[in-house]
């Protein structure tokens, strides 16, 4: 499956996907990386991996529709079949989201549907939750909403700061994003009635819910 990765920043999830795709048996290939921000660190990771990459700077567009139109064109031009948003910090128009319905994944650093949006770790600590984690889900028009493919649970420690919690969750993100992509690319994870159902799992497939103890 041909994958386009959307980024806005450092790209550590992109790197996890690049590493997974490097395995000849992995059922997906990253054909393009697009950043809405010039200078995003992830662009260098794409360059180092020899993956075509480009900046589509949202600031150069008059409105969201024209930015999304350019994004759509670039993705289709690259032959993308599935989008993986990985730290992509732009809200997409409903029209774009509908065009890519069930063909766009996102990763979010909380156990959705809790703590959608920004400042997730601060809010998780403030709320006093004992367990947080991360979620890979299909994208819907509402931010951080949509059928869940994979989640990992991560403990919240009493002395955690937003950054120590973020770092612990990031380790789990790097495990579940490739896992979720694999299951979707193989057609083993499909949206049925706004939930993801699994079929044809082999013994070697990881379970889609991963408990991450560190
Ligand atoms: C990750 O925590 C991701 O869940 C969130 O933004 C962060 C991106 O990190 N949406 P990176 O650019 O993949 O390193």
């Amino acid at each position: 499956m041909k994958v386009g990765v959307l980024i806005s920043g450092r790209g550590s999830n992109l790197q996890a996907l690049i590493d997974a795709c490097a395995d000849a048996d992995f059922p997906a290939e990253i054909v393009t990386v697009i950043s809405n921000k010039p200078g995003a660190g992830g662009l260098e990771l794409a360059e180092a991996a020899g993956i075509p990459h480009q900046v589509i700077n949202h600031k150069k567009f008059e409105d969201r529709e024209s930015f999304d139109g350019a994004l759509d064109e670039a993705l289709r031009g690259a032959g993308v079949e599935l989008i993986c948003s990985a730290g992509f910090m732009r809200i997409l128009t409903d029209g774009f989201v509908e065009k890519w319905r069930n063909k766009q994944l996102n990763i979010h650093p909380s156990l959705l549907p809790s703590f959608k949006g920004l400042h997730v770790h601060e809010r998780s600590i403030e709320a006093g939750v004992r367990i947080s984690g991360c979620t890979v889900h299909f994208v819907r028009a509402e931010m951080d909403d949509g059928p869940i493919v994979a989640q990992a649970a991560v403990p919240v420690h009493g002395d955690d700061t937003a950054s120590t919690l973020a770092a612990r969750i990031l380790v789990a993100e790097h495990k579940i994003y490739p896992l979720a992509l694999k299951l979707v690319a193989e057609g083993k994870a499909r949206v049925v009635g706004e939930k993801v159902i699994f079929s044809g799992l082999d013994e070697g497939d990881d379970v889609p819910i991963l408990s991450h103890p560190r």
Side-chain angles (χ1 to χ4, degrees):
M1 183 171 275
K2 290 185 176 172
V3 171
V5 182
L6 302 183
I7 60 166
S8 301
R10 101 198 123 173
S12 69
N13 278 289
L14 165 65
Q15 186 63 53
L17 297 177
I18 290 172
D19 292 346
C21 290
D23 181 341
D25 291 336
F26 198 79
E29 172 200 4
I30 301 171
V31 293
T32 188
V33 172
I34 301 175
S35 171
N36 67 308
K37 286 208 173 156
L43 292 166
E44 283 170 29
L45 302 174
E47 172 75 24
I51 298 168
H53 51 86
Q54 62 174 299
V55 175
I56 302 181
N57 185 348
H58 63 276
K59 289 189 179 156
K60 298 208 166 146
F61 293 83
E62 246 179 33
D63 50 27
R64 285 188 189 276
E65 281 73 19
S66 51
F67 170 72
D68 286 6
L71 197 57
D72 183 63
E73 204 174 296
L75 290 162
R76 289 181 198 280
V80 168
E81 298 164 292
L82 179 78
I83 300 172
C84 287
S85 292
F88 181 66
M89 302 302 281
R90 286 299 291 170
I91 292 171
L92 295 161
T93 55
D94 292 4
F96 182 96
V97 171
E98 273 315 302
K99 275 191 205 159
W100 290 91
R101 189 178 180 85
N102 299 341
K103 292 176 183 162
Q104 184 176 8
L105 296 173
N106 180 47
I107 187 154
H108 182 75
S110 77
L111 290 174
L112 292 175
S114 293
F115 304 110
K116 295 177 178 180
L118 297 173
H119 310 298
V120 174
H121 308 301
E122 288 86 345
R123 286 159 51 221
S124 301
I125 290 168
E126 178 62 28
V129 298
R130 297 289 182 264
I131 300 203
S132 188
C134 48
T135 304
V136 178
H137 63 97
F138 283 98
V139 172
R140 291 293 181 264
E142 193 193 320
M143 188 170 49
D144 300 325
D145 188 61
I148 291 168
V149 183
Q151 293 187 304
V154 171
V156 182
H157 298 159
D159 59 356
D160 264 332
T161 62
S163 65
T164 59
L165 180 57
R168 192 175 309 118
I169 291 174
L170 198 62
V171 175
E173 291 185 46
H174 298 162
K175 293 190 176 177
I176 64 162
Y177 213 168
L179 166 64
L181 173 56
K182 178 176 186 289
L183 292 172
V184 171
E186 288 176 335
K188 292 177 176 173
R190 284 177 301 117
V191 179
V192 177
E194 286 303 88
K195 273 189 194 152
V196 171
I197 62 146
F198 297 93
S199 56
L201 294 178
D202 296 323
E203 218 164 276
D205 283 326
D206 277 312
V207 275
I209 298 170
L210 176 77
S211 171
H212 194 276
R214 280 196 299 145

